[in-house]
Amino acid sequence: MQLISIVNFVRGGKSSIARLLAEKLGTTILNFDPKRDSEFYNAIKTTNIPEDATIKRKSANLEVETQTEIIEISSTSNFFICDFGGRFDDRINEFHSDLYILPTMDDYESISETLRATKYILKNNPKAKIIHILNMAMCSSKAEKDDFKEGYFSNL
């Protein structure tokens, strides 16, 4: 079983990346964002993880334990996509993901938050595999994407 966690700040495009990746892998998104029901945002299967739940990684599944029940979640694709909310969730340390994806925009605040999240992950999992993505998901038109690319690549 492979865990891919997508973490970072609010509105960085985490859910968009989670949805695209889950569609390609044919798997479930585990939504850790207590502020929203991600079924509303995702066209594919999503399981909302309660804020008070603890997660245990087993060899073939995940065990989600709340105060009232224990739920086992499995995946036929052998992958899970973990979509963490726009705040950093300490539960990310309850299991070590096989891959962390951190989307960022090109402004100072976004990059600073991305570095802070990276440092947090590496402190608790020094061998973590991390991918940083310069995300243009917030650009809604071709003109915005072209402006974004021109502004970003002209500064390199």
Short mmCIF file of all heavy atoms in Angstrom, two decimals, residues 61-105:
data_model
loop_
_atom_site.label_atom_id
_atom_site.label_comp_id
_atom_site.label_asym_id
_atom_site.label_seq_id
_atom_site.Cartn_x
_atom_site.Cartn_y
_atom_site.Cartn_z
N ASN A 61 -4.02 -2.05 4.57
CA ASN A 61 -5.10 -1.07 4.69
C ASN A 61 -4.75 -0.01 5.72
O ASN A 61 -3.68 -0.04 6.31
CB ASN A 61 -6.43 -1.75 5.04
CG ASN A 61 -6.36 -2.49 6.36
OD1 ASN A 61 -5.49 -2.23 7.19
ND2 ASN A 61 -7.27 -3.41 6.57
N LEU A 62 -5.67 0.90 5.92
CA LEU A 62 -5.56 1.90 6.97
C LEU A 62 -6.66 1.66 7.98
O LEU A 62 -7.77 1.26 7.63
CB LEU A 62 -5.72 3.31 6.40
CG LEU A 62 -4.62 3.82 5.48
CD1 LEU A 62 -5.00 5.21 4.97
CD2 LEU A 62 -3.29 3.85 6.17
N GLU A 63 -6.35 1.90 9.23
CA GLU A 63 -7.33 1.77 10.30
C GLU A 63 -7.60 3.16 10.85
O GLU A 63 -6.69 3.84 11.31
CB GLU A 63 -6.76 0.86 11.39
CG GLU A 63 -7.75 0.45 12.44
CD GLU A 63 -7.12 -0.51 13.42
OE1 GLU A 63 -7.17 -1.73 13.16
OE2 GLU A 63 -6.57 -0.04 14.43
N VAL A 64 -8.85 3.60 10.73
CA VAL A 64 -9.27 4.91 11.22
C VAL A 64 -10.07 4.69 12.49
O VAL A 64 -11.11 4.03 12.47
CB VAL A 64 -10.12 5.64 10.16
CG1 VAL A 64 -10.58 7.00 10.67
CG2 VAL A 64 -9.35 5.78 8.85
N GLU A 65 -9.57 5.24 13.58
CA GLU A 65 -10.23 5.03 14.87
C GLU A 65 -10.77 6.35 15.41
O GLU A 65 -10.05 7.33 15.56
CB GLU A 65 -9.25 4.43 15.88
CG GLU A 65 -9.89 4.10 17.21
CD GLU A 65 -8.94 3.41 18.17
OE1 GLU A 65 -7.85 2.97 17.75
OE2 GLU A 65 -9.29 3.31 19.36
N THR A 66 -12.10 6.36 15.67
CA THR A 66 -12.73 7.51 16.30
C THR A 66 -13.10 7.08 17.72
O THR A 66 -12.84 5.95 18.13
CB THR A 66 -13.99 7.95 15.53
OG1 THR A 66 -14.98 6.93 15.63
CG2 THR A 66 -13.68 8.26 14.08
N GLN A 67 -13.76 7.96 18.45
CA GLN A 67 -14.17 7.62 19.81
C GLN A 67 -15.23 6.53 19.83
O GLN A 67 -15.39 5.84 20.83
CB GLN A 67 -14.68 8.87 20.53
CG GLN A 67 -13.60 9.88 20.77
CD GLN A 67 -14.12 11.14 21.44
OE1 GLN A 67 -15.32 11.30 21.65
NE2 GLN A 67 -13.21 12.03 21.78
N THR A 68 -15.95 6.35 18.72
CA THR A 68 -17.05 5.40 18.72
C THR A 68 -16.85 4.17 17.84
O THR A 68 -17.58 3.19 17.98
CB THR A 68 -18.35 6.09 18.25
OG1 THR A 68 -18.14 6.65 16.94
CG2 THR A 68 -18.75 7.20 19.22
N GLU A 69 -15.89 4.21 16.91
CA GLU A 69 -15.74 3.07 16.00
C GLU A 69 -14.34 2.97 15.42
O GLU A 69 -13.57 3.93 15.45
CB GLU A 69 -16.76 3.15 14.87
CG GLU A 69 -16.59 4.36 13.97
CD GLU A 69 -17.67 4.45 12.91
OE1 GLU A 69 -18.22 3.41 12.50
OE2 GLU A 69 -17.96 5.58 12.48
N ILE A 70 -14.05 1.82 14.87
CA ILE A 70 -12.81 1.59 14.12
C ILE A 70 -13.23 1.17 12.71
O ILE A 70 -13.99 0.23 12.53
CB ILE A 70 -11.95 0.49 14.77
CG1 ILE A 70 -11.51 0.93 16.16
CG2 ILE A 70 -10.74 0.18 13.89
CD1 ILE A 70 -10.75 -0.13 16.93
N ILE A 71 -12.72 1.91 11.73
CA ILE A 71 -13.05 1.65 10.33
C ILE A 71 -11.78 1.24 9.60
O ILE A 71 -10.75 1.91 9.72
CB ILE A 71 -13.63 2.91 9.67
CG1 ILE A 71 -14.83 3.44 10.45
CG2 ILE A 71 -13.98 2.65 8.21
CD1 ILE A 71 -15.21 4.86 10.11
N GLU A 72 -11.86 0.14 8.86
CA GLU A 72 -10.74 -0.26 8.02
C GLU A 72 -11.02 0.20 6.60
O GLU A 72 -12.09 -0.03 6.07
CB GLU A 72 -10.54 -1.77 8.07
CG GLU A 72 -9.98 -2.24 9.40
CD GLU A 72 -9.57 -3.70 9.38
OE1 GLU A 72 -9.60 -4.33 8.30
OE2 GLU A 72 -9.22 -4.20 10.45
N ILE A 73 -10.03 0.88 6.00
CA ILE A 73 -10.17 1.38 4.64
C ILE A 73 -9.12 0.69 3.78
O ILE A 73 -7.94 0.70 4.11
CB ILE A 73 -9.97 2.90 4.59
CG1 ILE A 73 -10.95 3.62 5.53
CG2 ILE A 73 -10.13 3.41 3.17
CD1 ILE A 73 -10.70 5.09 5.66
N SER A 74 -9.57 0.10 2.69
CA SER A 74 -8.64 -0.55 1.78
C SER A 74 -8.79 0.05 0.38
O SER A 74 -9.75 0.76 0.10
CB SER A 74 -8.87 -2.05 1.75
OG SER A 74 -10.17 -2.34 1.34
N SER A 75 -7.84 -0.28 -0.48
CA SER A 75 -7.86 0.23 -1.84
C SER A 75 -7.47 -0.88 -2.81
O SER A 75 -6.47 -1.56 -2.59
CB SER A 75 -6.87 1.39 -1.97
OG SER A 75 -6.70 1.76 -3.31
N THR A 76 -8.25 -1.04 -3.85
CA THR A 76 -7.93 -2.07 -4.84
C THR A 76 -6.73 -1.68 -5.69
O THR A 76 -6.07 -2.54 -6.26
CB THR A 76 -9.13 -2.34 -5.77
OG1 THR A 76 -9.52 -1.10 -6.38
CG2 THR A 76 -10.30 -2.93 -5.00
N SER A 77 -6.42 -0.38 -5.75
CA SER A 77 -5.28 0.08 -6.55
C SER A 77 -3.97 0.06 -5.78
O SER A 77 -2.93 0.32 -6.34
CB SER A 77 -5.53 1.50 -7.06
OG SER A 77 -5.45 2.41 -5.98
N ASN A 78 -4.04 -0.21 -4.47
CA ASN A 78 -2.87 -0.22 -3.59
C ASN A 78 -2.31 1.18 -3.34
O ASN A 78 -1.18 1.33 -2.92
CB ASN A 78 -1.78 -1.15 -4.14
CG ASN A 78 -0.89 -1.67 -3.03
OD1 ASN A 78 -1.35 -1.90 -1.92
ND2 ASN A 78 0.37 -1.84 -3.33
N PHE A 79 -3.10 2.23 -3.62
CA PHE A 79 -2.71 3.62 -3.37
C PHE A 79 -3.80 4.32 -2.57
O PHE A 79 -4.97 4.01 -2.70
CB PHE A 79 -2.55 4.41 -4.68
CG PHE A 79 -1.31 4.11 -5.44
CD1 PHE A 79 -1.34 3.17 -6.46
CD2 PHE A 79 -0.12 4.76 -5.16
CE1 PHE A 79 -0.20 2.89 -7.19
CE2 PHE A 79 1.03 4.48 -5.88
CZ PHE A 79 0.99 3.54 -6.90
N PHE A 80 -3.38 5.28 -1.76
CA PHE A 80 -4.28 6.24 -1.12
C PHE A 80 -3.71 7.63 -1.35
O PHE A 80 -2.51 7.84 -1.24
CB PHE A 80 -4.40 6.02 0.39
CG PHE A 80 -5.28 4.88 0.77
CD1 PHE A 80 -4.74 3.72 1.29
CD2 PHE A 80 -6.66 4.96 0.63
CE1 PHE A 80 -5.55 2.66 1.65
CE2 PHE A 80 -7.48 3.90 0.99
CZ PHE A 80 -6.91 2.75 1.50
N ILE A 81 -4.59 8.58 -1.64
CA ILE A 81 -4.20 9.97 -1.77
C ILE A 81 -4.74 10.69 -0.54
O ILE A 81 -5.94 10.70 -0.30
CB ILE A 81 -4.78 10.63 -3.04
CG1 ILE A 81 -4.45 9.82 -4.28
CG2 ILE A 81 -4.31 12.08 -3.16
CD1 ILE A 81 -2.99 9.64 -4.58
N CYS A 82 -3.86 11.27 0.27
CA CYS A 82 -4.25 11.98 1.49
C CYS A 82 -4.24 13.48 1.20
O CYS A 82 -3.18 14.05 0.93
CB CYS A 82 -3.29 11.66 2.63
SG CYS A 82 -3.17 9.90 2.99
N ASP A 83 -5.42 14.10 1.24
CA ASP A 83 -5.57 15.52 0.98
C ASP A 83 -5.74 16.23 2.31
O ASP A 83 -6.81 16.22 2.91
CB ASP A 83 -6.78 15.73 0.07
CG ASP A 83 -7.00 17.19 -0.32
OD1 ASP A 83 -6.15 18.04 0.02
OD2 ASP A 83 -8.02 17.47 -0.96
N PHE A 84 -4.65 16.82 2.80
CA PHE A 84 -4.69 17.52 4.08
C PHE A 84 -5.23 18.92 3.89
O PHE A 84 -5.02 19.54 2.85
CB PHE A 84 -3.30 17.56 4.72
CG PHE A 84 -2.92 16.24 5.33
CD1 PHE A 84 -2.32 15.26 4.56
CD2 PHE A 84 -3.19 15.97 6.66
CE1 PHE A 84 -1.98 14.03 5.11
CE2 PHE A 84 -2.87 14.74 7.21
CZ PHE A 84 -2.26 13.78 6.44
N GLY A 85 -5.94 19.42 4.87
CA GLY A 85 -6.56 20.74 4.80
C GLY A 85 -5.53 21.85 4.74
O GLY A 85 -4.34 21.61 4.75
N GLY A 86 -6.01 23.09 4.67
CA GLY A 86 -5.14 24.24 4.53
C GLY A 86 -4.40 24.65 5.78
O GLY A 86 -3.82 25.71 5.85
N ARG A 87 -4.40 23.81 6.76
CA ARG A 87 -3.58 24.02 7.96
C ARG A 87 -2.77 22.75 8.11
O ARG A 87 -3.17 21.70 7.62
CB ARG A 87 -4.45 24.26 9.19
CG ARG A 87 -5.36 23.08 9.48
CD ARG A 87 -6.25 23.33 10.68
NE ARG A 87 -7.19 22.26 10.83
CZ ARG A 87 -6.92 21.05 11.29
NH1 ARG A 87 -5.70 20.74 11.65
NH2 ARG A 87 -7.84 20.13 11.39
N PHE A 88 -1.65 22.86 8.76
CA PHE A 88 -0.84 21.65 8.86
C PHE A 88 -1.39 20.76 9.96
O PHE A 88 -1.58 21.19 11.09
CB PHE A 88 0.63 21.98 9.09
CG PHE A 88 1.50 20.96 8.45
CD1 PHE A 88 1.69 20.95 7.09
CD2 PHE A 88 2.09 19.97 9.20
CE1 PHE A 88 2.45 19.99 6.48
CE2 PHE A 88 2.86 19.02 8.60
CZ PHE A 88 3.05 19.03 7.24
N ASP A 89 -1.70 19.54 9.64
CA ASP A 89 -2.37 18.58 10.51
C ASP A 89 -1.32 17.66 11.13
O ASP A 89 -0.59 16.98 10.42
CB ASP A 89 -3.35 17.77 9.65
CG ASP A 89 -4.31 16.92 10.45
OD1 ASP A 89 -3.89 16.38 11.50
OD2 ASP A 89 -5.45 16.76 10.01
N ASP A 90 -1.26 17.63 12.46
CA ASP A 90 -0.27 16.79 13.15
C ASP A 90 -0.43 15.31 12.85
O ASP A 90 0.50 14.53 13.02
CB ASP A 90 -0.35 17.00 14.67
CG ASP A 90 0.25 18.34 15.07
OD1 ASP A 90 1.15 18.82 14.37
OD2 ASP A 90 -0.19 18.89 16.10
N ARG A 91 -1.60 14.91 12.36
CA ARG A 91 -1.82 13.49 12.07
C ARG A 91 -0.93 13.00 10.93
O ARG A 91 -0.77 11.80 10.74
CB ARG A 91 -3.28 13.22 11.76
CG ARG A 91 -4.17 13.41 12.98
CD ARG A 91 -5.60 13.18 12.66
NE ARG A 91 -6.08 14.20 11.73
CZ ARG A 91 -7.31 14.20 11.22
NH1 ARG A 91 -8.16 13.26 11.54
NH2 ARG A 91 -7.68 15.15 10.40
N ILE A 92 -0.33 13.92 10.21
CA ILE A 92 0.58 13.50 9.15
C ILE A 92 1.74 12.69 9.73
O ILE A 92 2.36 11.89 9.04
CB ILE A 92 1.08 14.69 8.32
CG1 ILE A 92 1.64 14.22 6.99
CG2 ILE A 92 2.11 15.51 9.08
CD1 ILE A 92 1.86 15.31 6.00
N ASN A 93 2.03 12.87 11.01
CA ASN A 93 3.11 12.13 11.66
C ASN A 93 2.67 10.76 12.17
O ASN A 93 3.49 9.98 12.61
CB ASN A 93 3.68 12.94 12.82
CG ASN A 93 4.43 14.15 12.31
OD1 ASN A 93 5.11 14.07 11.31
ND2 ASN A 93 4.27 15.25 13.00
N GLU A 94 1.39 10.46 12.13
CA GLU A 94 0.91 9.17 12.60
C GLU A 94 1.26 8.04 11.64
O GLU A 94 1.26 6.89 12.01
CB GLU A 94 -0.61 9.22 12.84
CG GLU A 94 -0.97 10.13 13.98
CD GLU A 94 -2.47 10.23 14.20
OE1 GLU A 94 -3.22 9.38 13.70
OE2 GLU A 94 -2.88 11.16 14.89
N PHE A 95 1.54 8.38 10.42
CA PHE A 95 2.04 7.41 9.45
C PHE A 95 2.98 8.15 8.52
O PHE A 95 2.82 9.33 8.28
CB PHE A 95 0.90 6.75 8.67
CG PHE A 95 -0.03 7.72 7.98
CD1 PHE A 95 0.24 8.17 6.71
CD2 PHE A 95 -1.17 8.17 8.62
CE1 PHE A 95 -0.62 9.06 6.07
CE2 PHE A 95 -2.02 9.06 7.99
CZ PHE A 95 -1.75 9.51 6.72
N HIS A 96 3.97 7.47 8.05
CA HIS A 96 4.91 8.09 7.12
C HIS A 96 4.44 7.80 5.71
O HIS A 96 4.34 6.65 5.30
CB HIS A 96 6.32 7.54 7.33
CG HIS A 96 6.98 8.07 8.56
ND1 HIS A 96 8.32 7.96 8.78
CD2 HIS A 96 6.49 8.74 9.63
CE1 HIS A 96 8.62 8.53 9.93
NE2 HIS A 96 7.52 8.99 10.47
N SER A 97 4.17 8.86 4.99
CA SER A 97 3.76 8.71 3.60
C SER A 97 4.94 8.26 2.76
O SER A 97 6.09 8.53 3.08
CB SER A 97 3.20 10.03 3.07
OG SER A 97 1.98 10.32 3.70
N ASP A 98 4.62 7.61 1.65
CA ASP A 98 5.67 7.18 0.72
C ASP A 98 6.12 8.34 -0.15
O ASP A 98 7.24 8.34 -0.66
CB ASP A 98 5.14 6.04 -0.15
CG ASP A 98 4.77 4.85 0.72
OD1 ASP A 98 5.69 4.24 1.29
OD2 ASP A 98 3.57 4.55 0.85
N LEU A 99 5.25 9.34 -0.30
CA LEU A 99 5.57 10.51 -1.10
C LEU A 99 4.75 11.68 -0.57
O LEU A 99 3.58 11.52 -0.24
CB LEU A 99 5.22 10.26 -2.58
CG LEU A 99 5.44 11.41 -3.55
CD1 LEU A 99 6.92 11.74 -3.67
CD2 LEU A 99 4.87 11.06 -4.91
N TYR A 100 5.40 12.84 -0.49
CA TYR A 100 4.72 14.08 -0.11
C TYR A 100 4.76 15.02 -1.31
O TYR A 100 5.82 15.22 -1.91
CB TYR A 100 5.41 14.76 1.06
CG TYR A 100 5.41 13.94 2.32
CD1 TYR A 100 6.42 13.02 2.57
CD2 TYR A 100 4.40 14.09 3.26
CE1 TYR A 100 6.42 12.26 3.73
CE2 TYR A 100 4.40 13.33 4.42
CZ TYR A 100 5.41 12.42 4.65
OH TYR A 100 5.42 11.67 5.79
N ILE A 101 3.61 15.58 -1.66
CA ILE A 101 3.53 16.56 -2.72
C ILE A 101 3.13 17.88 -2.08
O ILE A 101 2.12 17.95 -1.38
CB ILE A 101 2.52 16.15 -3.80
CG1 ILE A 101 2.97 14.84 -4.45
CG2 ILE A 101 2.37 17.26 -4.84
CD1 ILE A 101 1.98 14.27 -5.44
N LEU A 102 3.94 18.92 -2.31
CA LEU A 102 3.67 20.23 -1.75
C LEU A 102 3.51 21.23 -2.90
O LEU A 102 4.50 21.67 -3.49
CB LEU A 102 4.81 20.70 -0.83
CG LEU A 102 4.83 20.04 0.54
CD1 LEU A 102 5.48 18.69 0.52
CD2 LEU A 102 5.48 20.94 1.54
N PRO A 103 2.26 21.58 -3.23
CA PRO A 103 2.06 22.59 -4.27
C PRO A 103 2.32 23.98 -3.72
O PRO A 103 2.06 24.25 -2.55
CB PRO A 103 0.59 22.41 -4.65
CG PRO A 103 -0.04 21.84 -3.43
CD PRO A 103 1.02 21.03 -2.74
N THR A 104 2.83 24.85 -4.54
CA THR A 104 3.07 26.23 -4.12
C THR A 104 2.81 27.18 -5.28
O THR A 104 2.92 26.80 -6.45
CB THR A 104 4.50 26.43 -3.59
OG1 THR A 104 4.62 27.73 -3.02
CG2 THR A 104 5.54 26.25 -4.68
N MET A 105 2.45 28.39 -4.95
CA MET A 105 2.36 29.45 -5.96
C MET A 105 3.71 30.16 -5.95
O MET A 105 4.60 29.79 -5.18
CB MET A 105 1.22 30.41 -5.60
CG MET A 105 -0.15 29.72 -5.52
SD MET A 105 -0.62 28.85 -7.02
CE MET A 105 -1.26 30.20 -7.98
#
